[in-house]
Amino acid sequence: VDSHFIGEQINEAFVKAGYQAINLKYKTVKDLARTVVDLNSDQPQNILDQTVGVHFTYKLLKELKNQEKLRYFAGMEITPAFSHAIDTTIQTLRLAGYTKDTLKKNAFINPDKAEDIYEILAEYENTLSINQFTDKAGLINKALEATQIEDKGVFILQSSLNLSHLEDQFLRKIIPESVYKLPLAP
């Protein structure tokens, strides 16, 4: 499911419709990835939550601006709202599978913007590494490396599940190919 709240709603509607549910667990893709990583890793994962991520982004934007490494965003005032927007951009890029090494700068219309996004992404990845944090994209990448097909579990996916590229790859890897799709109403 997209969120635990949606899982609770689906479960409640299922029970109210007169069905019985036992040992039904609702999880997000991030929950599944964390379970896989925790089962296959000796070290606990320091997962970066959104609030701390925005703070990291704010701090690194301030540093990049003070070091005059920004061109496109050089005239922007570094505010919490701007940091939140940049953090959302970073998360979207990383969940799409991009890193500083795979970012396609020629996909940007403005080369200065491409350089700034590259610098921000590189500094973000560096900050994660230095502080030993893992964000959602890093967690899913680790899970992709460690996962195997789960043939004992039964997966019921939310009909309108919103997935990023990495989340889709992870689910495709964890769920067997011979999956039966129930014709459930949204």
Side-chain angles (χ1 to χ4, degrees), residues 1-14 24-28 156 158:
V1 291
D2 285 326
S3 69
H4 294 113
F5 178 72
I6 290 172
E8 289 171 14
Q9 285 182 318
I10 291 170
N11 191 33
E12 187 177 320
F14 184 72
L24 181 66
K25 298 174 184 157
Y26 28 88
K27 294 187 175 209
T28 64
I156 303 170
Q158 174 188 331

Side-chain angles (χ1 to χ4, degrees), residues 147-152 172-177:
T147 196
Q148 298 173 1
I149 291 176
E150 174 62 61
D151 55 357
K152 293 178 183 155
R172 287 181 191 277
K173 192 168 181 183
I174 199 169
I175 297 174
E177 280 191 39

Side-chain angles (χ1 to χ4, degrees), residues 17 22 32 36 46 66 103 108 112 130 141 176 183:
I22 191 164
L32 287 173
V36 168
N46 293 323
N66 290 340
L103 185 68
F108 289 82
D112 286 344
I130 289 170
N141 275 319

Side-chain angles (χ1 to χ4, degrees), residues 8 20 24 28 32 39 41-42 45 47 51-52 63 81 85 92 98 110 113 135 147 154 156 158 160 167 172 177 184:
E8 289 171 14
Q20 295 182 11
L24 181 66
T28 64
L32 287 173
L39 288 173
S41 177
D42 299 336
Q45 301 297 310
I47 307 297
T51 307
V52 177
E63 288 173 6
T92 302
Y98 291 103
N110 186 316
K113 189 174 190 178
D135 64 356
T147 196
V154 175
I156 303 170
Q158 174 188 331
S160 58
E167 290 171 324
R172 287 181 191 277
E177 280 191 39
L184 298 175

Side-chain angles (χ1 to χ4, degrees), residues 51-69:
T51 307
V52 177
V54 171
H55 177 70
F56 273 2
T57 304
Y58 178 80
K59 184 179 171 193
L60 73 88
L61 286 170
K62 281 280 203 192
E63 288 173 6
L64 289 172
K65 186 170 182 171
N66 290 340
Q67 296 168 3
E68 297 181 0
K69 289 186 176 180

